[in-house]
Amino acid sequence: MDQKHVINGKEQYKEESIFTFPKGIPGFEHLRDFKLQEHNELFSIFSAVEEDGISFITINPFDFVHDYEFELSNDALADIDVTVREQIAVRCIVTWHSNRDKITVNLIAPIIFNTENLKGKQIILQNSEYTTRHALWPDVELEEQGGES
Amino acid sequence: MLVLSRKKGESIVIQNNIVLTVLSVEGDNVKIGISAPKDIDIYRKEIFDAIQDNNQSAVMDLKTIQTAILNMDGNRIE
């Protein structure tokens, strides 16, 4: 029972998998292997296998930004050998802050995972309105930030 | 830095398989067409720099992450 189902049950991956990033990620081009690990229903932890100190808090953007959308170019799909949509999982990197209102998420550079061959790539959306620092929690304070979404 | 002058419609070849073509020049604005192998990523530099910076400022160590998320959970659950 270690399968997680998110986004209409379409996204499937093990709770902890190691993905290869053929080109690393921007700013950490020397790293290749990253572990994606579910933390709870909202957050997952994305960490470099080779270097202990390099971890990121990530979210599934569709959990937070309900109208989030982007187009994956064929080149990006080819880079991680995606052939069908069901192989794709998406995470976005969160920049943490002790003040929760200042926590942001990078929506312009989602990380795309091929859950079948365990390859990944952080892509940068071209001609996109999204930014690297989108507020994670919208200004209107939600009463119950419970597990249901 | 290598500096080359090109007219509209002229191209530059890099490493046999990357071709940059000046498509149009209007005032300060130059339109450049790029054809390159699929595995070459092409980005506007300022956006790529912003992503690098953002990743570098988002990086944490595992212990800090665990503490941070635990605090958040605590706040959420009340």
Side-chain angles (χ1 to χ4, degrees), chain A residues 23 26-27 29 39-41 53 55-56 75 93-94 96 103 106 108 121-122 124 126-127 132-133 145, chain B residues 38-39 41-44 47-48 51-52 54-60 62 65 68-69 72-73 76:
Chain A
K23 295 174 184 167
E29 285 83 0
H39 175 80
N40 59 24
E41 73 277 9
S55 296
F56 301 90
D75 294 352
I93 290 181
V94 172
W96 206 259
I103 298 175
N106 180 352
I108 200 176
K121 180 183 174 72
Q122 185 172 22
I124 300 176
Q126 306 279 10
N127 305 319
T132 54
R133 291 180 180 272
Q145 292 280 3
Chain B
K38 282 188 189 312
D39 60 324
D41 294 325
I42 299 159
Y43 303 117
R44 290 177 171 82
I47 297 181
F48 188 74
I51 307 300
Q52 281 188 322
N54 193 258
N55 283 350
Q56 276 161 352
S57 61
V59 74
M60 298 169 91
L62 267 182
I65 287 184
I69 297 186
M72 174 68 73
D73 287 348
R76 285 196 5 249

